[in-house]
Amino acid sequence: MIQVEHLTKRYGPTLAVSDVSFEVQKGEVLGFLGPNGAGKTTTMRILTGFLPPTDGRARVAGYDISESPIEAKKRTGYLPENPPLYPEMTAREYLAFVGKIKGVPRRDLKARMGEVAEKCAIEDVLHRPIGKLSKGYRQRVGIAQAIIHNPEVLILDEPTAGLDPKQIIETRQLIRSLAGQHTVILSTHILPEVSKTCNRVVVINQGKVAAAGAPDELNLRLQGFETVLVTVEGPAAEIIDRLQRVAGVNLVEPRESAGARMTFEIHAEKGNDVRAELARAIVESQWNLYELKTSGMSLEDIFLKLTTRDLSEEPDSAAAPDLGQQLAGEA
Amino acid sequence: MRNVMAIAGKELRAYFHSPIAYLVMTVWSLLCGYLFYVYTQAYAAASIRREMSGASMPFPTINDFIIRSMLQGFLMVVLLFLIPLITMRLYSEEKKTGTIELLLTSPVSDLQIILGKYVGALALYATLIALTFLYLGLLFIYGNPDAKPLLANVLGLFLYGGALLALGMWISTFTKNQIIAGVVAMVLFLILFVLNWPSQITFNPFTQVLSYLSLGSHLDNFAKGVIDLPDVVYYLSAIVLGLFLTARSVDALKGRP
């Protein structure tokens, strides 16, 4: 549905996006993950035809964004980081206006407005001026605007930024409900969002793709082995001995103990799920099992691992004090 | 066409949802009313003088004395200040609020956006011209002015304002700040307006060219009630130039963040 090939965007000497390639299949939700200033917004602006790429190609719904921009734009819904709202219009006037310029046929417009208002739960505020709405409602009007023409592709730039926790949950639910009919790209720098809403992740850092794959896949790829945490009540030495004998287990390390209750960290071979066997071994030995969970490296860890490495080598951080000194010298 | 009208409607609505439309209309009506009062008073006084001194000498018509004085003498200067108030928000506001991103990522061409905005602004301007008929209408009720020269006056005023609107829209593409867009447009209009002044002092090819380029000098014939092709061509060229420059500027806008 979306193909991005060797996309590059230069602002003068600065390289905002450098040789980015990825694909999104129909119906997928792709998470675009990266720190602020990584090039997420620039990539999205290129995909929506707002900015021309310096180099490379992007195809949206089968149309090249540089060669047939109007056709591509007809099939794309876009929510920029700041929802593009006209504060003096009522939500109804606004949706009608956007529907018209997005090419919704006149006879369908009213029905479409009703549908998106229902889907985004903004029916109650349709008559109110957008400038008087709360941030959560404005965000939802922004999403309603993006789907008014029922686009095949939906591009959402930080859709949950600046919302309160309840609004964030509602917005995520809304995005998930849209996933079936639309192919979605959403950008975020908030990690849990990705594992909660996306099928696939592209981690972008300093304008380059740092990693790509399903959230679980990324977990797996970056770990040497799988780690399971078990909390058991029973004789420590026997437990270690028994668990060590479970097929696939490399190492059992005691972690912490609270009374007779102890937690062990168990390292298994990569790609080997030993959780069922562990549980069986413990229960058959008549010990009390309190907790058993994988302790994969969280997306948070992966993200930091992928992005901080480069940042620490960045010479820019050294430039800041110099500038400060210069200013002090001039003064 | 539907896109152009949708955008024009949105612009017109934005004017009337904000104080701008009312401010511009109020200022315009007040000044029109004041001028109308001054010139009708003067005309009445002059006719009484003529009656008393005998009817032999030539006397200006209502058209020449009142309507032409209003249009050419003062209102065209007022427009140099009012039209920037209309054009300053056209692109600046969209850039500031980020709604420009909505327009430029919608399946509409840049030209449709530009024409839509222009038509919207032109519609507000047409409302202003219509307001002058509140006063000119009185002349038709109590006097007998000639309607045909009046049509030429109105056409001239419309073309003159149309040119200012197109150039003002171009200025508004440069900045997010409406005040700057308005002030720069005013300065540009003033310069274009006084370009013919040197030709009134010295007459040579250079001042002649300047005089031709001047916004004001082409309104003379319209004010006399004459529609002359070169004047129409001048204003239409200025409108096309303004729209063209806007298109170029919007194009450059997209290269930047």
Side-chain angles (χ1 to χ4, degrees):
Chain A
M1 188 53 72
I2 301 168
Q3 286 109 26
V4 176
E5 292 163 16
H6 309 293
L7 209 62
T8 299
K9 178 71 188 176
R10 223 178 261 283
Y11 296 122
T14 27
L15 204 56
V17 174
S18 159
D19 197 24
V20 165
S21 300
F22 61 87
E23 261 186 53
V24 192
Q25 304 300 324
K26 194 171 162 57
E28 254 186 347
V29 180
L30 177 85
F32 223 46
L33 190 62
N36 291 327
K40 292 172 299 200
T41 299
T42 304
T43 309
M44 292 184 143
R45 283 180 164 175
I46 294 171
L47 285 179
T48 52
F50 183 63
L51 292 177
T54 313
D55 207 2
R57 285 154 54 85
R59 289 170 72 81
V60 174
Y63 292 93
D64 189 295
I65 188 69
S66 309
E67 280 159 23
S68 26
I70 299 280
E71 290 303 316
K73 286 173 183 175
K74 269 185 197 161
R75 291 161 179 80
T76 312
Y78 176 40
L79 176 66
E81 198 170 343
N82 297 311
L85 307 170
Y86 294 102
E88 75 278 358
M89 285 190 190
T90 66
R92 180 178 283 117
E93 286 170 341
Y94 176 70
L95 288 180
F97 168 65
V98 178
K100 276 186 224 161
I101 62 169
K102 298 273 182 182
V104 178
R106 198 184 303 265
R107 60 183 181 283
D108 300 344
L109 187 56
K110 209 155 193 159
R112 273 307 293 168
M113 281 166 63
E115 279 168 43
V116 297
E118 193 193 331
K119 191 163 243 169
C120 301
I122 52 169
E123 289 152 304
D124 298 341
V125 299
L126 278 178
H127 61 282
R128 290 177 54 190
I130 292 172
K132 298 225 160 76
L133 297 182
S134 69
K135 183 129 174 84
Y137 270 121
R138 272 188 239 177
Q139 193 74 10
R140 279 189 261 171
V141 174
I143 295 176
Q145 160 275 128
I147 59 175
I148 185 99
H149 55 309
N150 206 4
E152 294 169 50
V153 172
L154 203 50
I155 295 180
L156 310 170
D157 196 355
E158 309 226 349
T160 59
L163 300 181
D164 71 32
K166 184 165 168 281
Q167 294 166 335
I168 289 178
I169 291 168
E170 286 165 359
T171 307
R172 281 184 194 148
Q173 274 170 354
L174 176 59
I175 293 170
R176 266 200 303 270
S177 75
L178 295 172
Q181 313 138 41
H182 312 271
T183 305
V184 184
I185 298 187
L186 69 90
S187 79
T188 178
H189 59 270
I190 307 160
L191 292 142
E193 194 149 292
V194 171
S195 41
K196 288 203 177 85
T197 41
C198 305
N199 316 108
R200 240 154 49 79
V201 186
V202 169
V203 182
I204 185 167
N205 188 37
Q206 300 200 325
K208 293 192 184 75
V209 173
D216 301 342
E217 226 173 270
L218 279 185
N219 262 330
L220 211 63
R221 177 145 24 121
L222 283 138
Q223 280 179 294
F225 42 80
E226 296 214 42
T227 310
V228 182
L229 289 177
V230 194
T231 308
V232 192
E233 196 176 54
E238 274 177 55
I239 294 172
I240 294 176
D241 185 50
R242 177 68 189 88
L243 296 184
Q244 208 104 58
R245 281 188 282 123
V246 171
V249 170
N250 282 348
L251 182 67
V252 179
E253 277 181 282
R255 262 299 152 96
E256 53 198 86
S257 57
R261 215 179 279 181
M262 275 168 299
T263 305
F264 302 95
E265 191 176 299
I266 295 154
H267 298 301
E269 285 160 22
K270 190 180 173 185
N272 219 342
D273 196 348
V274 294
R275 283 174 297 179
E277 283 301 314
L278 288 174
R280 190 167 302 126
I282 293 163
V283 172
E284 280 173 359
S285 310
Q286 308 275 311
W287 300 317
N288 297 330
L289 177 59
Y290 283 91
E291 196 176 9
L292 188 152
K293 62 174 183 185
T294 54
S295 122
M297 194 157 66
S298 69
L299 267 175
E300 210 116 3
D301 300 326
I302 296 171
F303 181 61
L304 286 175
K305 192 167 170 178
L306 286 168
T307 56
T308 47
R309 179 185 52 208
D310 291 358
L311 287 173
S312 59
E313 293 161 8
E314 186 57 40
D316 275 6
S317 51
D322 285 348
L323 187 64
Q325 278 167 4
Q326 271 175 15
L327 289 174
E330 278 167 28
Chain B
M1 197 57 200
R2 186 188 177 213
N3 291 334
V4 174
M5 290 327 287
I7 292 168
K10 179 221 107 183
E11 292 300 331
L12 200 57
R13 202 191 299 260
Y15 283 124
F16 282 93
H17 272 314
S18 72
I20 289 186
Y22 305 100
L23 175 75
V24 171
M25 282 160 58
T26 309
V27 170
W28 179 257
S29 316
L30 281 175
L31 289 173
C32 274
Y34 178 70
L35 282 178
F36 182 75
Y37 167 75
V38 168
Y39 285 119
T40 37
Q41 282 293 315
Y43 189 71
S47 356
I48 291 166
R49 269 201 304 279
R50 185 189 60 156
E51 290 298 323
M52 282 163 43
S53 66
S56 57
M57 60 192 198
F59 194 71
T61 62
I62 292 182
N63 284 78
D64 275 344
F65 197 99
I66 301 178
I67 300 176
R68 188 177 160 191
S69 310
M70 275 177 74
L71 294 186
Q72 201 185 4
F74 192 63
L75 289 183
M76 61 190 291
V77 179
V78 170
L79 286 175
L80 300 178
F81 296 93
L82 281 189
I83 287 193
L85 293 180
I86 298 178
T87 60
M88 66 183 190
R89 53 164 293 281
L90 283 174
Y91 273 91
S92 302
E93 196 177 37
E94 308 256 12
K95 282 175 84 167
K96 180 144 196 164
T97 58
T99 45
I100 191 80
E101 218 165 332
L102 170 70
L103 293 182
L104 294 182
T105 57
S106 293
V108 291
S109 68
D110 291 354
L111 186 66
Q112 287 172 330
I113 299 173
I114 292 166
L115 286 179
K117 286 183 167 290
Y118 185 67
V119 170
L122 207 57
L124 176 59
Y125 178 60
T127 316
L128 289 190
I129 294 184
L131 282 175
T132 57
F133 279 88
L134 286 179
Y135 307 105
L136 299 183
L138 290 174
L139 292 181
F140 281 94
I141 296 171
Y142 295 106
N144 53 346
D146 203 350
K148 277 183 200 153
L150 183 63
L151 283 180
N153 299 154
V154 170
L155 177 68
L157 200 61
F158 198 71
L159 286 171
Y160 171 78
L164 294 180
L165 286 169
L167 293 170
M169 176 163 69
W170 171 53
I171 300 295
S172 82
T173 57
F174 290 116
T175 171
K176 284 180 186 177
N177 189 318
Q178 291 194 37
I179 295 180
I180 291 180
V183 170
V184 172
M186 257 178 228
V187 171
L188 175 74
F189 294 169
L190 282 171
I191 291 171
L192 285 175
F193 189 76
V194 299
L195 277 182
N196 64 336
W197 288 10
S199 72
Q200 289 161 5
I201 304 159
T202 49
F203 200 74
N204 61 41
F206 177 66
T207 55
Q208 228 178 327
V209 169
L210 283 186
S211 171
Y212 178 77
L213 291 176
S214 168
L215 272 172
S217 56
H218 292 272
L219 206 60
D220 293 351
N221 285 331
F222 286 111
K224 285 176 202 151
V226 179
I227 300 175
D228 203 11
L229 191 62
D231 299 324
V232 176
V233 169
Y234 170 83
Y235 285 123
L236 288 180
S237 316
I239 291 170
V240 171
L241 178 73
L243 298 181
F244 171 76
L245 290 173
T246 308
R248 292 307 304 261
S249 179
V250 169
D251 221 26
L253 204 76
K254 287 196 272 187
R256 291 185 222 121

